[in-house]
Amino acid sequence: MIIASTRAELSAARGKLGAPLVLVPTMGALHDGHRALLRRARELAGLGGVVAVSIFVNPLQFGPNEDLDRYPRTLEDDLATCEAEGVDLVFTPGVRDMYPQEQLVTVDPGAAGETFEGEFRPGFFRGVLTVVVKLFSLVRPDIAVFGQKDAQQLVLVRRMSADFGLGIEVEAVPTVRAADGLALSSRNKYLSEQERAAAPALYRSLSAGAAAAGAGPRAVLDAAGRVLADEGALFTVDYLALADARSYAVIARGDAPPYPPTARPMAEPAIVSGALVAQPDFTGQAVLAIAARIGSTRLIDNVVIEFGTERHAAGD
């Protein structure tokens, strides 16, 4: 396994490697969810291809008072995980390698980056897309693998690759969960014992919503909301919402905040039972997403569901 810590080392290593090259961008603190990404990358690369992993905690995507300083950094363990999973190349740049000077030019995520995570973490997607396009430029992958847990990020990275003509295929891997349903996340390490016991209520809420998909978007939010009302006493919910799985346009959301001007739907939405339903007759694949804080930890999760078909079961 080649470990490259600088741009020069990466360039030297990249020239010796074959194709296809499949990149798994990470911030480290690798867990079983990341292992699933690495295994999918190996499947895509095949016997003659290359699996590359980047490990970089990107300061550009953290806002003031967020957890940049305390984000888990476990490089030695991460390298052992990569070795065990048969990774060929690990890129572990420092901040000066990724940002040798002030980053004046950044990637604007557009309207799809202003809702949901973009509302509650201003500048987050600008930071994410900027570091991803830099990694794409440096590593030069043929395919990049991301987790479905970060569904809005996945949509934006795919759109960026298409809009900029990068020629990089973006592959999604289903969310990996603990036995009780909690989506695996590096930030789960922050949870106290009590918080960890309560956290699976997020997935139970999403599962209940997905089971109600046959009755439409309003029913989905109502069902998910009932679980949160019964089990979510420790949570402060940022949003509970339905988004188009391809564009991340708003379908409905339970918190009904004002739309940013650039994200406002064409038709006037109906507000029903405390929910804002922008597309009550939506058909197709949707993401039911939630973000909530428990103690000092912010968790996100989602499931993919279908409207207007016979398939309504939850899926990651």
Side-chain angles (χ1 to χ4, degrees):
M1 184 174 76
I2 300 171
I3 302 171
S5 299
T6 67
R7 292 188 182 203
E9 291 173 354
L10 174 64
S11 180
R14 182 65 180 86
K16 302 173 184 176
L17 298 173
L21 189 147
V22 184
L23 172 65
V24 182
T26 82
M27 293 207 301
L30 304 184
H31 50 66
D32 285 348
H34 294 103
R35 286 181 181 270
L37 303 182
L38 301 181
R39 291 167 187 172
R40 179 57 179 150
R42 174 52 64 197
E43 291 174 356
L44 293 166
L47 294 177
V50 176
V51 174
V53 174
S54 62
I55 298 174
F56 177 64
V57 180
N58 175 34
L60 206 62
Q61 70 192 62
F62 288 80
N65 303 316
E66 291 192 340
D67 59 339
L68 173 61
D69 291 337
R70 70 169 182 148
Y71 192 86
R73 290 164 171 83
T74 57
L75 182 58
E76 186 175 338
D77 290 342
D78 294 343
L79 293 175
T81 296
C82 290
E83 183 83 48
E85 294 295 335
V87 170
D88 301 294
L89 170 66
V90 183
F91 182 40
T92 62
V95 173
R96 288 187 179 181
D97 293 291
M98 293 302 297
Y99 302 110
Q101 57 188 348
E102 182 183 359
Q103 188 73 30
L104 296 179
V105 178
T106 57
V107 179
D108 184 347
E114 296 179 5
T115 55
F116 309 126
E117 288 300 286
E119 294 171 40
F120 290 91
R121 301 185 67 185
F124 171 67
F125 286 124
R126 185 180 297 272
V128 168
L129 295 183
T130 299
V131 79
V132 168
V133 80
K134 287 172 79 83
L135 288 168
F136 284 179
S137 176
L138 292 168
V139 181
R140 306 194 310 277
D142 300 290
I143 305 169
V145 178
F146 291 83
Q148 177 61 40
K149 187 176 80 70
D150 298 296
Q152 190 172 10
Q153 171 183 280
L154 178 65
V155 166
L156 289 168
V157 171
R158 279 178 168 157
R159 186 60 185 261
M160 178 181 71
S161 182
D163 284 356
F164 289 174
L166 302 180
I168 297 170
E169 178 185 345
V170 178
E171 176 82 4
V173 173
T175 302
V176 178
R177 301 184 179 279
D180 58 8
L182 179 64
L184 299 190
S185 168
S186 300
R187 289 185 170 95
N188 290 352
K189 295 180 180 180
Y190 301 158
L191 299 172
S192 70
E193 185 176 348
Q194 181 187 24
E195 291 165 351
R196 176 60 184 82
L202 294 183
Y203 183 58
R204 288 193 289 272
S205 169
L206 296 176
S207 297
R218 174 186 172 184
V220 168
L221 292 183
D222 285 347
R226 282 193 294 270
V227 173
L228 289 175
D230 291 341
E231 302 185 39
L234 295 181
F235 289 102
T236 300
V237 176
D238 283 349
Y239 60 79
L240 173 67
L242 281 162
D244 187 314
R246 293 196 302 173
S247 66
Y248 236 75
V250 176
I251 298 170
R253 56 188 301 170
D255 46 325
Y259 283 91
T262 55
R264 189 178 299 278
M266 295 297 292
E268 189 68 24
I271 297 180
V272 189
S273 300
L276 187 150
V277 184
Q279 301 183 60
D281 300 319
F282 178 84
T283 60
Q285 195 172 76
V287 177
L288 175 60
I290 189 168
R293 299 177 187 275
I294 181 168
S296 62
T297 306
R298 187 174 185 273
L299 301 176
I300 63 171
D301 200 357
N302 69 82
V303 295
V304 178
I305 60 179
E306 300 275 351
F307 288 105
T309 71
E310 294 182 358
R311 178 178 175 270
H312 304 304
D316 294 317

